[in-house]
Structures are given as structure tokens and as C-alpha cells.
Amino acid sequence: MLKLFIFISKRSVQMLLLFVIFLTVLFFLLEAQPGDLSQQYIGNPDIPPEEKARLAARLGLDMPLFSRYLAYMKNFFTGNLGNSLSQYPTPVTKLIFDALPRTIVLFLSATLLAYYLGFVTGKVLAWRRGKMSEYLLTLGGVGLYTVFYPWFALLMIWTFGFTLSNVTGIRVFPINKFIDVSDWLGSPFTTNQVFLRMILVAVLSMLVAAVATVIAKQRLEIRQAIRVRNIAFLLGVVFPFIYFFFSAMGKYALDILHHTLLPVMTLALVAFAGIMLLTRSAMLETLREDYILTARAKGLPEKVIRDRHAARNALLPVVTSLVLALAFVIGGGIITETVFSWPGVGLLLYNAVILEDIPLAMGGLSVIAALALIGHLVADILYAYLDPRIRY
Amino acid sequence: MTERIDLEPEQSTGGPLVQEPLWRIRLRLARRSFGRNWKMFVANKIGLIGLGIIVLFALLGILHPILMSRVWDPAIYDPVQGYDAPVAEYTVVAEVQDPASEMDLATARLMQNPFVEEGDIVTIPQQPAPPSKGHWLGTDPLGRDILSQLMYSTRAAFAMGAIAAFMSVLIATTVGSVAAYYGGWIDNVLMRFADLILLVPLIPVLIVVGALFNLTLPLLGMLIGVLSGFGGTAIVLKSSALGVSVKPFVDAARVAGGSNRHIILRHIVPNVLPLSFLYMMFTVTEAIALEATLSFLGLMNVQMSWGIMIFTAHSQGYLLSGTHYWWLLFPAGLAVTMLAAAFFLVGRGMDEVINPRLRVR
Amino acid sequence: MTMRHDTQTEGGEVRPGETLLEIKHLTMDYQTKEGRVSAVKDVSLTLQRGSSLGLVGESGCGKTSVALTLLRLQASNADIVEGEILLGGLNLLDLSEEEMRKHRWADISMVFQGAMNAWNPVYRIGDQIREALDLHWPEKLTTAQVRQRIAELFELVGLPEEAMDRYPHEFSGGMRQRATIAMALSCNPQLIIADEPTTALDVIVQDQILKELKKIQTELGMSIIYISHDIAVIAQVTEHTGVMYAGKIVEYGSTEQIFHRPRHPYAWLLLSSTPSITGPRRKLAPLEGEPPNLMVPPSGCRFHPRCPFATEQCSNEEPPETDIGDGHMVACWNYEQVPVGISEIAAEEG
């Protein structure tokens, strides 16, 4: 346990260091920008020279490079990211923190969904090697994996958001955005109030389910424990719905959920393909391992060999690949936000770039990079937990 | 010990044993191993399909300048500046029965001139126009030929893919071989750097870079090549080079007094090069998708590309027309997907040849 | 409470000398892309209860194929052309997969190669043994009972009790092999197949483990089939030996008969090519040539291309199995020409 703790602290420090390096690179990238940053603010020839000097001093542009770098770092870590230019004078931090929950939910739910489904499908796929269904699903997986993502997202909107609604006459999925503004007129809540409540309730009920499962695994026999787990997670999913059914926020929560489904599905589907293909090849490698033969010789049922022996080990390279999947989900997430007009950090970043709002763009990029690093840290810890060879 | 060991008996009797020049032997060996690998590659089919698609696109790309100079009128077919709008005739009526040949008065006055009366026949230029004899894939919302745009963009995709691939092979092979051969702090620095690159989310960084700098195709290709070369590909090649650098022939070369440079260039690099080419394919896949994505977001300084074609259709609001305006969305989207997939498939096919683990027993 | 349990009791008392396993004319091909590979050809063997049998031969001679077929774990591209595997009169090849599963480990277990990763790296050793116990032990065991049983087994193979809570990577090669033996013994099988049980271990550990295996075998009255390319291992622990070449058993007899006076040229050359630590110093006779391509096995006797005594007849007709007395069988046309001694004559040949 101590060793795991040391491992985690070590990795955390490493990640922090990497983040500092990243910010440094970002700072110098900004400096290296053609046309010089300062010119954007005080380059106007109509400004008299003494006013220019006053402005430069106020903006800190007369300081030497290194002092400016230090000031930049200090500001960053004290949470001062400057003011947005496109939405002046709102601080960048406020804009980002408003958008952050939406981004995290999009990334996290898509990642979890993709991992869970991708792993289960990939595992079964490898087990059915040589069958027609394996061939077709693998082919479809390669197609999804290499599909041009923005185009795919547009097709998803067209198919599920537009055509499906036209054909059925019901609005199965909304086309884009986070809410239907018309439904929120006169709402006593802000979107973030409702959204945060949704996250809170969902996370809490899942947490309760997880704790119940852990306790059941320690106290009960394996078969009963599995039953407890299934019931706990079923309740964990159902409970938030019950809660919001009776809550005054219910109507608004439903609207948000309604808008969340399609973007999450789209992002998850593409990430799913990668995970599925990876799990499949990892399983195929694992199935060649000698301990699979041992398990067969022991007379274990095929399903136990597949799940307990092969899949458990194939999970290791799949967790390692979280590094790659994360890049995929983050890149895809930004495109998803842009295409679906989903007001997260990615859309914020994109709009900032289009409107040349440099402070906001830098802030957005830093926060996304921080999210990526945290994701890696989680993957590392998960790996250490799953592989006893690292843990001890 | 009375017997003396003669190390090179052939030399004492005069003349080398083999008369054939060395390069010819090498060539023959290379040809033979290529033949063997080719057979494996073909047997796999996946790679062959990919290769077929690549060749098809390459032909499209080569054909475009020829068509432009010989067959197509630049004023009509130029992918960026061309303009052509086939006209359709509508009868102005009070109540529209057949939207393909009739138009109500208000619309007709808006689109033609305010003096149109019922019963007149108005001619309206069509843009986007559906596929016709003159435009096999129709025209875009600005009246430009889609097929010409598609073919023109192929060249850009290939050129950028080639730049990215070349850079990544060059850098990754060097970094991987050097890190594996020297080990120690050199290895450590290079690999930590690779980790860092791998950790940074590429698309957001490129979005910001695209905002700060003038992102052209060669620049983007170079950037992707450098990032891939110092990042993920370098890590893979290093572990492969590590396997090579402990082989007996490397020790033999060192004992024989080969310089570090000689050993790396002559013994390690040739052995990791196949894997390097394999990862080059994945780099190309990535480069094609990234270029299209950035063009789609409008961040590339490029006049025409597949991404821009989709961007045009999307930004002009033709998305929700669905399949009605299929030629606006499908050719470009499919082109990006297919070419990216083709390089990916070739990579997978090569993987089966290079990676003995994957071979079916 | 004693945890000893005999699966044999259902079939009455354990009677040494009673036939436990009979392999009859087992013939198996591998279906590959290039064609059919004749991996096992007409192999017949008999094993008494409580006795031990060795199968020796070069790698690729089909000995592991035979071993895996006994558990019905042959590769998926294997095609059993004919033959029967009778375990206590029951033909294992007739069983459904589900029925066969119940016999695995409970009746026939396996000690895998030391070099192999027979242990799943992510589970504790004890938990992996428990899997077998949970499945095959006649009564349901509580955790305490399971731990007691594993402790018993570990004591038998010379491992400390607390080792059951460790992971495979924390074990040395020798310990891992002992644990493998403990797992093979866990459900009191009637037959253990030891496939290269000591390969990849250093000589001292090898010796210890072989001695312990032999001791355990006599103590518990189990039958063991040893499979090895190393004739020294076979000579040390078995009562009977079968020499395999290119998928066929070319010589079979008591271990003493075979090592004292091999009659098949292949067995003779195999023995001659092995150094002896205790015997007189001699030059080693190399076994010339390579094992045949079993896609197109040599006509007649499969060994004739490499055989120093080969005649016209050998390349045309398959030699019959001849009993040359006391159950010593040999499949060779010219077994009488094979010299008596090994060392000197072999030295001349080499």
C-alpha cells in the first residue's frame, strides 16, 4: 500500500513537472508568434509614443523576457489567466470554469462508455476468431477508426438528429446545443446549477453502488457478490431518474440529458472502435500465453478462461492505451463540441481562436492539457493497481 | 599448440572467393527478400486493398493537372476560381404543384427581378447543381466543380502525407537508434521528451498554433512529422533498436573497430527501417485526418482541400438537406476516410509481414 | 480432519499393476495452410496404475502432441484421424467437451514446462490452485479448508505455506516449478503428465525436483508420464520408456532395457550423442541430418534418410513393431545390426 502511495506521488510530481514544461513551451510559442504579441495591443500608429510606453508598462511588455515568464507562471498558478478579449472583461478563469463541467462530462462519459463497450466487444470478438461476425465487426471497427471524424459527426447529426426526427415525427435527438432556450424561459435555475446537481446525484449514486459492490465482494461468496453488484449498479442508474422525477429541476435536467445523448454517443462510438480493435489484438496475444493452456488443462469453463484469465490480462495493454485513447477523445471532443455547438472548453477554445482572443485560447489549451495529464495519471494508477508486477 | 590457425586462407591463395561485385549480391538478396515479403503481404489481402485505394487516388491526383491543361476549361473547372451554374427554367405560377419546374411569384421576384409576372418563364442559375454530364459530381454552393476539387485536393493530401512521413521516418529512426545504442542519459532525455509529446493533446495544440501562425500544408506536414518522429514512433523504434543493438553482429562490429556512427548507420538503422516504414503509414493516416480536420475548422491557410469542401457545405447550411445534396458532403468525406483507411490498412498488412508475433502459425 | 481424498475409490481399491491408460493407434494430423502434417502416427502405449512412463525424442517428434491429446487440449487445427485413449476403460475421445472438462485435472493433470509461463501473472499462486480445487474437489471447501489443503500440498513439494499468498513473479524458477507440481497434485489425479518438467532449471534444482516428483509418485501411488528431450531425465525417473521419432514410437521397453541396450538405430544414436557424467569419457556421436518434414514424411521407415544402417527395404516398407523379448518392442528392419555398446563404437562412427 505504501509502495502504491509512493508510486502515485512520484507520478503526480512528474506530471506536474511536465505541465510546467508544457506551459513554458506555450509561453515561448506565444513569444515566437510572428508580428510580436505586443504589436497587437500597442501597434496602432495613431497612439502617441509616450502613451505607447505607458501602455507597454501597464501590460508588462517593457519587462525583460525572463521576468515576464516568471510573471506568467505566477499568474497561472494563482489562477489569474487574464481577461477574455472577445467577452471583455470577463476573466478567462470564469469562462473556463463555467464550461469545464460540460467538457468533463462529455469526455468522461464517452471514454467510460467506449472503454466498457469496446472491451466487452473486443473480448468476445477475439474469442470468435474466424467467424463471419468477427470479420464484419472488425471491418466496421477499422472503418469507424479511420473515418473522418467531423464528417462522421455531421452524418450522425443528420441521421439521428434530423432524419430520425422527421421520419418518426418525434424529436428523438436534438440537432445541437446544450439546452432548448425556449424551455428555460423563466427558469429559476441556471444551466450550471442544474447540470452540477445532475453530476452530483449521478456520481453519488454510482459511488454508493461501487462501495456496496466492494463490501459485497469481501463479505459474500462470488456468485452472490455478482448479484449484489448487478442490483447495486442498476439502482445506481435508476436512482438519479427517480430523484429528478420528484425534483423541481426535473424538467430542466431532462432537457440537458436529451441534448447530451447524441454528442456522447458520437464521440463514444468512434473511441469505441479503437478500443475494440485494440482489445481484440491484445486478447489474441494473450490467448497464446501458456497460462491459458494451464487454465484449459484445469478444466475451467470457456467463459471463465475468457473473462478471468485472458481478458484480465488483455486489460493491461488496453489500459496503457488510455494514453492514446485520451488524445483521441480530447481531439474528438473538441470537434464534437464544435460540430454540436456544445458549450464546453473545446468550443470556447475554437471560438477564441477564430476571434483571436489569445488569453482565452491559451487558458483553454492549458486547461485541456491539464485534463490530459490528469487522465494519464489516472491511467497510470489504474495500471499499477491492475498489474501486481508494478504494484510491488 | 603447434598448429597455426589461418584466418583467411582464401587471400593467401589469391583473389576473393566470390567474383560477383558486392552491390549485385546485395541487390539480389534484397530482391529475393522483397519477393518473399511481397508474397506475405499479398496473402494478407488487407494491405493489398489499401494499396489499391492508394494507387487509385494517386491516379486521380496525377490526372488532374493533365485534365486542367488539356480538357477542362480553367474558367469553369478551376477548383478554386472556376464557376459554372447550369440554368433551370421555371414557370411562375400562383400555386406550386411541381417544385422542379414551377415557382411561386414571391420567390421568382426575389430571385430574378421585381417585374416578373405570373405565367412568365424565369431562368435561375443552379448552385449547388446536381451531377450532370459536364460536372460528374455536381458543383458546390459557389458553382465550382466538385470532381475537380476532389482531384486537386488529392495532390495536397499526398504531398502533405509524404512530408510528414519523410520527417517522421528520418527523425524517429535517428532518435530511436541513437537512444538505443548510447543508452544512459541520452536515452533518458530523448525518451522523456517523447513522453512529453505523447502527453500533449495534438488537436487543441494545432488549433492554437493555427491561430498564431500561418499554417500552410508543408508546415503542417512538417509539424506532424516532427511530433510523430520525436514522439510515439521514436518510442516504438527505440525498443526495436534496443533488440538489435544487443545482437552479436553489433558486438562483432564494435570489436572489429567500427565507429559508433558506422555501427548505427550500417547495422542498427537498416534493421529498424522496416518498422519505421510501418509506422510511417500510421503517420500518414494521422496527417491526412489532421489536415482535413484543421481545414474543416477553417484554420489552414490552404485554398482547397477535402476539409474545406466539407466546411463549405456545412457552413452554407447544406448539412440538414441530408441526401438531397449528397454530392456536397459524401465525396469529400469518403475521400478523407478512404485514403486515411488505405494507409492504415497498408500499415496493418505490413505489420503482419514485419511482426512475426502476428503471423498465423 | 484429513484432506486426503482418493478419486479412485469409486472404482474400487487402487490396485497397482492394473491398467490405467491405454492409447490405441493414435494418429493425428495438423491441418496447415501448406497441407496436412502427420504429427502423430499410430502410437500405442499402455500405462499401469502407479507406474511411470517416459516419452523421449527430439523437439517436434510429436511427444507434446500426444501429451496434450491425452487432455484433449490439442491445437485447434489438429485432426485425430483414428485411435482411442482409454482412461480406466473410458474412451476420452468419445466424450463431449463438457464431460471432458470434468475429467481434466480431476483425473489427468499436467506439470507444464518450467520455462513456460504456466502461471497467470495477475493472480496469487494460492488463488490459482484454488480455482482447480473449487472446480474438482468432490465437496465444497471453505476458504480455511482450501488454505489447509494448499499448505499440505506445499509441504509435500517443499514450499513454505505463506508462499500461497504471493504472485508468480515473486517466485524463483525452481519455486514456480514446485508450485506447478503442487497444483498438479491438488485434486489427487490418477495420472500426471509432466511435460519437460525441469527444462530451463539449473542442474541442481532439476535434480531436486525430479527426486521429489519420484518420491511423491511412489508415496501417493500416482502414475506419471514424463515427456522430455533429455534422456538423462527420463533415465532417472521412469520405469518404462518410449522413444519417439517423427510422430511414431520406434522403440518401447523398460527404461533399463532401453538404456542398457537400445535396439533402434535412432535410440542408439540419441544415447550416443548424450554426454554421460558418470560413465567413461568418450567422444559424442552427432546425430546427422535434420528431422524430416512431416508434410511429406519419408517413405518406409521415417528414420531411413538419417539411419546409418538403412537398406533398400527401409525406404520402401514400413518396419513392423517387433517384440524382442520381455516386452521390449522395436520398429526396425535391421535392429540386429545395431551394435551392443554405445560409447566406443559410437566414437568411431562420429
Side-chain angles (χ1 to χ4, degrees), chain A residues 34 36 43 63 86 88 93 97 128 147 161 166 202 257 284 292 304-305 321 341 377:
Chain A
D36 191 334
M63 288 197 290
S86 56
Y88 198 80
T93 358
F97 276 103
R128 303 173 59 100
V147 75
N166 272 4
L257 185 70
L284 287 178
I292 299 300
V304 173
I305 298 173
S321 82
S341 307
L377 190 63

Side-chain angles (χ1 to χ4, degrees), chain B residues 42 116 132 140 229 285 296 319 348:
Chain B
V42 170
V116 175
S132 60
D140 79 349
T285 300
F296 170 76
L319 165 68
R348 288 293 285 255

Side-chain angles (χ1 to χ4, degrees), chain C residues 250-251 261-266 268 307-311 313-314 319-320 322-325 328-341 345:
Chain C
V250 291
E251 188 168 359
R261 171 117 205 247
R263 301 304 288 260
H264 194 279
Y266 173 68
W268 177 74
C307 182
F309 309 103
T311 59
Q313 191 185 22
C314 298
T322 325
D323 191 339
I324 53 170
H328 192 165
M329 312 283 282
V330 60
C332 179
W333 290 113
N334 306 310
Y335 65 88
E336 275 152 351
Q337 289 188 30
V338 177
V340 178
I345 298 157

Side-chain angles (χ1 to χ4, degrees), chain A residues 87-137:
Chain A
Q87 304 185 41
Y88 198 80
T90 324
V92 169
T93 358
K94 183 180 181 311
L95 286 173
I96 288 177
F97 276 103
D98 276 351
L100 199 57
R102 296 189 275 259
T103 293
I104 291 177
V105 165
L106 177 68
F107 286 9
L108 204 64
S109 45
T111 310
L112 290 179
L113 208 62
Y115 257 79
Y116 180 71
L117 293 179
F119 188 71
V120 170
T121 325
K123 167 174 104 175
V124 175
L125 223 51
W127 205 252
R128 303 173 59 100
R129 182 144 213 217
K131 299 238 171 76
M132 193 62 187
S133 57
E134 188 236 356
Y135 183 75
L136 286 178
L137 260 171

